[in-house]
Amino acid sequence: MLLAVKNLFCERDERILFQGFSMQVNAGEVVQIIGQNGSGKTTLLRILCGLSDAYEGEIFWQNELLDEVRSHYYQSMLYVGHLSGVKGSLTAEENLQWMTQLDSSLDKCSIKKALKLVGLYGFEDVPCHSLSAGQQRRVGLARLYLSSAPLWILDEPFTALDKKGVSEKEALIAEHVSRGGSVILTTHHDLSIPKQTIRPINLDEMART
Amino acid sequence: MSFFLAALKRELLLVFRHRSDIINPLAFFLMVAVLFPLGVSPDPSFLSEVASGVIWVAALLACLLSVDGIFRSDYQDGSLEQMLISAEPLWMLVTAKVITHWLVSGFFLALISPLVAMMFFLPEPAYPALIISLLLGTPTLSLMGAIGSALTVGLRKGGVLISLLVLPLYIPVLIFGAGTVQAGAMGLPIQGYLALLAAILVFSLMLAPIAIVAALKISIRS
């Protein structure tokens, strides 16, 4: 068991998002968070990756309280949020170089290869603000090709990607899972990866019970 | 240490790509200096009397003008989130950001300050006092401003709030900074003033990074 959440309570603008919410993520599975807009998917992911303290309850990373192992957790987790963290005035390569500095679990040596894999070969010297939305998304997602972190937390990773891009990322997720990694993601898209590895969690049902 | 250098390199590269950010505080500083005599009185004896105060106030406001942007763009594109969930020490990154801010605001201001001093007929013996006091005082302004910037980065309209938060902290620097120049102009020893400015700088250099990191965590996580 990699990550466990116990008895999570979260309230936002006087509206209860989660109450008594528990879940766990095991090695080698994809947890797909489903829910309508405003059901708290992003809030949940931000809590899980340590970007929000606005909750009550306990989160465990490998059976230890998250607060006590934060720095180890940050090294073992990769988060790609709504905002991809790509700087417009830096080139794709400079952006990735900076990301490898921030996150030591990213492989510094294969940046060029990752850019080729996400289809940005030939664009590595272009400032990111002149790339299209989908291409900027690809720069952020190129981190997945460099990562050796066991847990990936992806918030709507397929936004703005074309069909080919989506299927490439799905293949990458399937490969990561087959190596024993785990993925928590939110998407409205039907994932085409082996069904037995996907575990959906529906936040709408959670709210009703 | 290599992380600190990498962070510094990134910040300097970003500044280099946004050269207008460098020109903005400098232009403000020069504009105040040019407009003040036009609006009040071009009389040399009057100008040399108020020079120390006006130059220091202009430098302080120029610094305050640009301090709001220290964390703004990183917040807007999600880079700040990634920095907060990095295992690398955040205080190093924050320090690199503040140093870069000081280089493009305070350092350049100190370099062009003799030009402004000339426009204000500041007596010549006060020039070293002006440059040294700006070099010692403006890093403190950047450090304290960054605390306010970090606290307000999550707010949509942080501009007014940041002035309210930061200005009280700026006042001691202003008093001792302008005092240095005044003492220099009158030919009095300035070491005492400079020692006080240096003490404030060392104090804020020790504590401000901790406060900035804590403020960023509050802004993002809550």
Side-chain angles (χ1 to χ4, degrees), chain B residues 4-220:
Chain B
F4 176 74
L5 293 177
L8 197 60
K9 194 180 138 203
R10 172 186 186 260
E11 295 304 323
L12 290 174
L13 190 64
L14 284 173
V15 166
F16 181 71
R17 301 263 162 95
H18 287 271
R19 265 158 291 197
S20 62
D21 288 0
I22 311 179
I23 296 164
N24 219 1
L26 290 181
F28 180 84
F29 184 58
L30 282 175
M31 268 184 322
V32 173
V34 171
L35 294 180
F36 188 85
L38 289 178
V40 189
S41 154
D43 174 29
S45 67
F46 169 75
L47 283 179
S48 68
E49 208 172 299
V50 295
S52 59
V54 173
I55 297 174
W56 252 95
V57 168
L60 186 146
L61 291 178
C63 192
L64 190 64
L65 187 76
S66 57
V67 92
D68 186 39
I70 296 187
F71 298 106
R72 181 76 55 203
S73 89
D74 279 336
Y75 176 75
Q76 279 165 348
D77 62 22
S79 307
L80 199 57
E81 287 179 353
Q82 294 295 336
M83 292 169 185
L84 277 173
I85 54 169
S86 160
E88 302 294 338
L90 193 55
W91 66 266
M92 279 194 185
L93 213 159
V94 158
T95 312
K97 275 187 172 299
V98 174
I99 289 176
T100 313
H101 176 262
W102 174 70
L103 277 178
V104 301
S105 62
F107 181 66
F108 282 135
L109 283 187
L111 286 189
I112 61 162
S113 63
L115 183 71
V116 177
M118 218 186 305
M119 291 191 228
F120 276 84
F121 304 99
L122 192 73
E124 224 148 88
Y127 280 35
L130 178 66
I131 299 171
I132 301 171
S133 70
L134 281 173
L135 284 177
L136 276 177
T138 47
T140 312
L141 301 184
S142 294
L143 281 162
M144 288 173 174
I147 303 177
S149 176
L151 273 175
T152 54
V153 72
L155 309 174
R156 295 216 189 291
K157 288 172 192 144
V160 185
L161 200 55
I162 196 171
S163 327
L164 282 176
L165 284 170
V166 166
L167 272 180
L169 298 171
Y170 277 8
I171 288 172
V173 184
L174 174 69
I175 292 172
F176 293 121
T180 317
V181 186
Q182 205 122 45
M186 290 190 282
L188 297 171
I190 55 168
Q191 286 90 334
Y193 285 105
L194 293 181
L196 275 168
L197 281 176
I200 299 176
L201 173 59
V202 171
F203 180 70
S204 49
L205 199 59
M206 277 194 312
L207 294 182
I210 303 172
I212 299 167
V213 168
L216 280 179
K217 284 184 179 164
I218 293 170
S219 284
I220 302 290

Side-chain angles (χ1 to χ4, degrees), chain A residues 79-129:
Chain A
Y79 170 69
V80 181
H82 268 285
L83 304 165
S84 45
V86 173
K87 261 253 152 330
S89 46
L90 298 182
T91 67
E93 197 176 346
E94 286 162 347
N95 265 305
L96 285 179
Q97 265 162 0
W98 169 244
M99 287 166 185
T100 61
Q101 290 288 344
L102 265 186
D103 184 349
S104 52
S105 72
L106 298 180
D107 178 12
K108 284 184 185 61
C109 307
S110 26
I111 290 176
K112 283 230 156 63
K113 206 176 114 203
L115 282 173
K116 202 179 275 183
L117 282 168
V118 293
L120 287 172
Y121 187 68
F123 288 96
E124 63 265 42
D125 291 333
V126 181
C128 286
H129 60 69

Side-chain angles (χ1 to χ4, degrees), chain A residues 117 138 141 144-145 157-158 161-175 189-194:
Chain A
L117 282 168
R138 281 160 182 262
L141 287 170
L144 299 180
Y145 289 97
F158 306 129
L161 288 185
D162 54 22
K163 273 186 186 157
K164 183 163 159 282
V166 171
S167 60
E168 280 168 4
K169 298 303 164 300
E170 282 174 339
L172 189 66
I173 289 172
E175 193 200 317
H189 165 90
D190 286 320
L191 290 169
S192 57
I193 51 178

